[in-house]
Amino acid sequence: MIEVQNLTKRYGEVLAINGVSFMAQPGQVTGFLGPNGAGKTTTMRILTGFMPPTDGKATVAGYDVFEHSMEVRRRVGYLPETVPLYRDMTAQDYLTYMGEIRGVKNRRTRAQEVLERVGLIQRAHSRIRTLSKGMRQRVGLAQALMHNPPVLILDEPTIGLDPIQVLELRDLVRDLGRDHTVLFSTHILSEAEQVCDNVIIINQGHIIAEGSPAGLRAELERGGRVLARIDGDLEQALPVVQGVPGIASAEIRMDGIVATPANHDDPRAQIAQALVSNGFKLLELRPLAVNLEEIFLELTRHERNAMTEVSDTATPEESEVASS
Ligand code: ATP
């Protein structure tokens, strides 16, 4: 179990995380989802006992990460973004060595067990430098498992892997989630949706949403908002949609018109009729927020709008939200 209360971290002037609170439960994969610079690594490094917070409190497996950092390290397996591997060692020797550092008994047997678990037993005696990137990532995961910790903290483990390696690693993380508390960071929304039981969305150092992928989707769909895409001028179509009885508001967004009904009735038939009878060609009409990507875009819309207003010099890449 991981419990985080009001965690704040400053690097000098930079407020990397600001009042972050959440829980990660045993037997689940909790996704920590956010764009580059959101504060994922900072939070994870605090949780692994490597860095103190500026303020707030966090416990891992019941131990305060700051006051009892050695106890925490014994109970956490950490896969950092870049794993420091000894490339001339074999996988087996490297794991045995890591086990020695952590005081693991029966280290060679344990190394075999974890290599089996991550699907690398056939390559136990290969030097790490001869392994593919995906295999090296598995060795990194194996070192995180060596001391049999109940909690696993995995920082963007699928970055840089090819599509097949990504699928294999996601399967492995899901499997580990059955008997560990797993905190898994990613900036790939579809990955969080596929791997995680719960998702915490972080942006600019604070949490903006939390829940199961399905729950988050339902929350945003609850208002019954719909997106209408047309072949034609959106500015001209907007008053048509706004004039549909039962529509509380409508605005131009996501390359279309997003309409919010005043009640829970499905407004699509009336919107379709109004648009078509006014001469617009309807390309698409569907409930909003069908995946996490749209949820993320929706949740960060206000912040992105504010950023666009203050800076018209940002490149598209800078203001773009990462997606799969
Ligand atoms: P990424 O996916 O790019 O690794 P992240 O979500 O893990 O991003 P962090 O690495 O935690 O984000 O960074 C959060 C903020 O803190 C960013 O603005 C980053 O520039 C800043 N930051 C991180 N480490 C330091 C540091 N050592 N000194 C100063 N600022 C830092």
Side-chain angles (χ1 to χ4, degrees), residues 220-221 223-230 232-235 237-238 241-242 249-261 284-291 293-306 308:
L220 283 181
E221 283 179 356
R225 285 174 313 156
V226 296
L227 171 68
R229 287 207 172 102
I230 57 159
D233 188 338
L234 289 172
E235 296 284 352
L238 183 61
V241 177
Q242 284 167 331
S249 65
E251 57 184 323
I252 296 173
R253 261 198 304 125
M254 300 175 72
D255 295 332
I257 294 172
V258 173
T260 306
E284 188 184 13
L285 187 58
R286 63 175 169 87
L288 195 63
V290 293
N291 60 28
E293 175 156 315
E294 285 171 357
I295 291 172
F296 191 82
L297 288 170
E298 177 66 15
L299 289 168
T300 57
R301 182 165 58 92
H302 296 295
E303 286 162 67
R304 284 181 296 112
N305 284 349
T308 313

Side-chain angles (χ1 to χ4, degrees), residues 11 14 16 35-42 81 156:
Y11 298 104
V14 180
N36 290 334
K40 304 180 295 292
T41 300
T42 298
E81 246 177 315
E156 307 221 22

Side-chain angles (χ1 to χ4, degrees), residues 32-40 156 186-189 201-204 208 296 300 320-322:
F32 206 35
L33 176 68
N36 290 334
K40 304 180 295 292
E156 307 221 22
T186 177
H187 65 277
I188 302 170
L189 299 132
I201 302 181
I202 183 167
N203 190 42
Q204 296 183 357
I208 53 174
F296 191 82
T300 57
E320 205 170 80
V321 175

Side-chain angles (χ1 to χ4, degrees), residues 65-115:
V65 293
F66 185 51
E67 286 167 20
H68 304 286
S69 79
M70 290 317 291
E71 295 295 342
V72 167
R73 286 185 206 199
R74 271 197 266 279
R75 289 162 179 82
V76 174
Y78 179 38
L79 179 63
E81 246 177 315
T82 321
V83 196
L85 296 173
Y86 296 99
R87 297 164 65 90
D88 285 327
M89 281 186 173
T90 65
Q92 164 87 45
D93 287 347
Y94 167 71
L95 292 172
T96 308
Y97 173 63
M98 294 309 286
E100 191 179 336
I101 292 174
R102 298 200 191 122
V104 175
K105 297 200 183 89
N106 303 321
R107 297 185 273 280
R108 294 201 78 78
T109 313
R110 179 64 188 157
Q112 298 264 318
E113 280 169 16
V114 293
L115 283 168

Side-chain angles (χ1 to χ4, degrees), residues 54-185:
T54 309
D55 206 355
K57 185 176 158 67
T59 59
V60 173
Y63 289 91
D64 186 287
V65 293
F66 185 51
E67 286 167 20
H68 304 286
S69 79
M70 290 317 291
E71 295 295 342
V72 167
R73 286 185 206 199
R74 271 197 266 279
R75 289 162 179 82
V76 174
Y78 179 38
L79 179 63
E81 246 177 315
T82 321
V83 196
L85 296 173
Y86 296 99
R87 297 164 65 90
D88 285 327
M89 281 186 173
T90 65
Q92 164 87 45
D93 287 347
Y94 167 71
L95 292 172
T96 308
Y97 173 63
M98 294 309 286
E100 191 179 336
I101 292 174
R102 298 200 191 122
V104 175
K105 297 200 183 89
N106 303 321
R107 297 185 273 280
R108 294 201 78 78
T109 313
R110 179 64 188 157
Q112 298 264 318
E113 280 169 16
V114 293
L115 283 168
E116 184 83 51
R117 179 99 201 234
V118 303
L120 264 190
I121 193 70
Q122 310 294 345
R123 304 299 300 267
H125 302 293
S126 301
R127 288 189 197 283
I128 290 172
R129 70 178 143 77
T130 67
L131 300 177
S132 72
K133 194 169 165 96
M135 289 175 185
R136 287 204 289 267
Q137 200 67 337
R138 281 161 183 263
V139 175
L141 199 48
Q143 69 72 30
L145 292 169
M146 260 313 271
H147 53 304
N148 197 19
V151 177
L152 290 173
I153 296 186
L154 314 177
D155 197 354
E156 307 221 22
T158 60
I159 263 187
L161 303 187
D162 74 32
I164 292 177
Q165 292 169 340
V166 166
L167 291 180
E168 289 173 354
L169 202 88
R170 286 180 189 163
D171 278 348
L172 185 55
V173 172
R174 260 197 304 266
D175 187 42
L176 288 166
R178 296 202 193 114
D179 52 3
H180 292 82
T181 303
V182 180
L183 185 64
F184 168 89
S185 80

